[in-house]
Amino acid sequence: MDQTQSIPDQPSSVPPSQPKRKRTSMIAFFSKVSWKLKFQKQDSSKNVFFILAERARDPSAKKRHLAMRGLGTMACEAPDQVRKYKKIMLDLLVHGLYDPVSSEVIHESMKTLTIILGKIQGKGLGSFFVDITLQIRTLLDDENDSMRYLAFVLLGQLAAFAGWKWKKFFARQVKQTRDSLLTHLQDRNPQVATACKTTFRACSPYLKLRNEYGFRSEEDQRNPKLCRQLSHYHPELLQFFYANKIL
C-alpha cells in the first residue's frame, strides 16, 4: 500500500511581482482617492462651519455656547476657514458678545475672539472694532475673574489694532476706562492684575496723560492719584510712562 500522501500546494510567502500596467493603475487609483478625500475634508469643514453658524443663533443658550466653542476650535485647527469666512465669523462672535441671556455664551465668544484677532491681526475688522470695544469696556469690572481677564486681553489686542481710522474713537474709550485700569492693577486675581498691567502699557499712548493732567507741573496737579498709585504699587510701570513721555 502506498504510504505517500499528496501534499496540497502551499501559498507562496512572497507574492509574485505585479505587472507594470497593474502597478501604474493602482497608483492612479490611490492618487484619485487621495484627492477625493482632500475635497471631502474641505467640504466637511465648510459644512461644519455653517452648522456652527446656524447653532450660534439658536434659541437654546446651551447650543449657542457650544457653537461658540466650536468656532474657537475651528479657528485653532482650520485657520484657512477663518480667513475664508472672517466676516461671518466676526458677526457671529460679536452677536455672542452681546448675548442678553447667557454669560457663558459671552465668555466663550470672548475666548474665541482672542484667538481670531490673533489670527487676522486686526485686519478687516471694520465696524466690528467699535462693537467689540464698547462691549469689552462693560466687562472690565465683571464679578467673574475669567471674564475680567479676557476683557483686558481683548482691550490690549484692540489697542494694537486700532489704526488711524479708529484712533480717536479708541482714545476716548481708553480715557473713559482709566479708572478700571487703575483699579485692576491691584486685582484680587494675579492673572487679571498681570493682564491689566500689560493692557495699561498697550493703551498708554492713547491716554496722553502729560498733556491732559500735567503731572509734572507744580501748579496743575488735578489728579495726582495715578502717579501716587503707580509710584507705590508699580514703580516700574511709572518709569515706563516717564521714559515714553506719557506722564
Side-chain angles (χ1 to χ4, degrees), residues 27-40:
I27 292 171
F29 169 76
F30 284 116
S31 178
K32 184 177 181 180
V33 169
S34 177
W35 277 103
K36 187 175 181 180
L37 288 173
K38 183 177 180 180
F39 285 121
Q40 284 179 344

Side-chain angles (χ1 to χ4, degrees), residues 134-151:
L134 292 174
Q135 181 66 346
I136 288 304
R137 277 194 56 217
T138 69
L139 300 169
L140 295 173
D141 300 313
D142 196 271
E143 294 180 357
N144 183 282
D145 290 4
S146 184
M147 199 84 84
R148 291 198 309 281
Y149 171 79
L150 288 171

Side-chain angles (χ1 to χ4, degrees), residues 1-234:
M1 185 176 184
D2 190 359
Q3 298 295 323
T4 59
Q5 295 180 352
S6 61
I7 300 175
D9 293 337
Q10 299 295 321
S12 175
S13 58
V14 180
S17 58
Q18 298 171 341
K20 185 176 180 180
R21 181 180 295 179
K22 189 173 182 180
R23 288 201 305 270
T24 304
S25 63
M26 288 187 69
I27 292 171
F29 169 76
F30 284 116
S31 178
K32 184 177 181 180
V33 169
S34 177
W35 277 103
K36 187 175 181 180
L37 288 173
K38 183 177 180 180
F39 285 121
Q40 284 179 344
K41 185 177 180 181
Q42 291 177 347
D43 289 341
S44 176
S45 296
K46 180 179 179 181
N47 292 337
V48 168
F49 173 76
F50 284 108
I51 289 172
L52 290 173
E54 183 179 351
R55 291 184 179 176
R57 295 182 180 274
D58 195 275
S60 168
K62 184 176 181 179
K63 288 185 179 180
R64 294 198 304 276
H65 175 229
L66 291 175
M68 295 304 170
R69 180 176 296 179
L71 289 173
T73 301
M74 178 171 281
C76 291
E77 299 182 359
D80 56 317
Q81 298 297 312
V82 174
R83 291 188 291 270
K84 188 173 182 179
Y85 301 112
K86 178 173 61 179
K87 288 187 177 180
I88 299 175
M89 195 172 283
L90 285 169
D91 183 62
L92 293 171
L93 292 172
V94 169
H95 191 267
L97 200 62
Y98 282 84
D99 195 280
V101 178
S102 174
S103 60
E104 290 183 341
V105 173
I106 295 173
H107 182 265
E108 207 64 50
S109 299
M110 293 170 73
K111 283 176 63 178
T112 302
L113 270 172
T114 61
I115 298 170
I116 290 181
L117 290 183
K119 297 286 185 184
I120 67 175
Q121 290 296 296
K123 295 179 180 178
L125 271 177
S127 61
F128 291 125
F129 182 92
V130 175
D131 297 328
I132 296 170
T133 302
L134 292 174
Q135 181 66 346
I136 288 304
R137 277 194 56 217
T138 69
L139 300 169
L140 295 173
D141 300 313
D142 196 271
E143 294 180 357
N144 183 282
D145 290 4
S146 184
M147 199 84 84
R148 291 198 309 281
Y149 171 79
L150 288 171
F152 280 111
V153 170
L154 278 168
L155 188 65
Q157 287 180 304
L158 292 170
F161 303 145
W164 65 269
K165 186 174 183 179
W166 305 113
K167 188 174 181 179
K168 290 183 178 180
F169 162 78
F170 193 71
R172 289 195 301 270
Q173 298 304 310
V174 170
K175 289 176 183 178
Q176 293 173 26
T177 307
R178 185 172 46 238
D179 288 344
S180 293
L181 289 167
L182 288 173
T183 299
H184 294 290
L185 285 171
Q186 284 85 48
D187 194 278
R188 64 176 182 265
N189 185 302
Q191 287 185 319
V192 176
T194 300
C196 177
K197 188 174 180 180
T198 301
T199 298
F200 209 141
R201 284 176 179 266
C203 292
S204 58
Y206 299 96
L207 289 170
K208 297 181 181 178
L209 296 175
R210 175 196 279 272
N211 295 332
E212 184 176 352
Y213 292 109
F215 285 122
R216 291 183 178 179
S217 169
E218 295 181 359
E219 298 178 356
D220 186 13
Q221 294 189 3
R222 287 174 288 177
N223 191 354
K225 177 183 177 182
L226 178 58
C227 275
R228 186 169 59 250
Q229 187 170 349
L230 292 178
S231 177
H232 184 69
Y233 294 105
H234 300 279

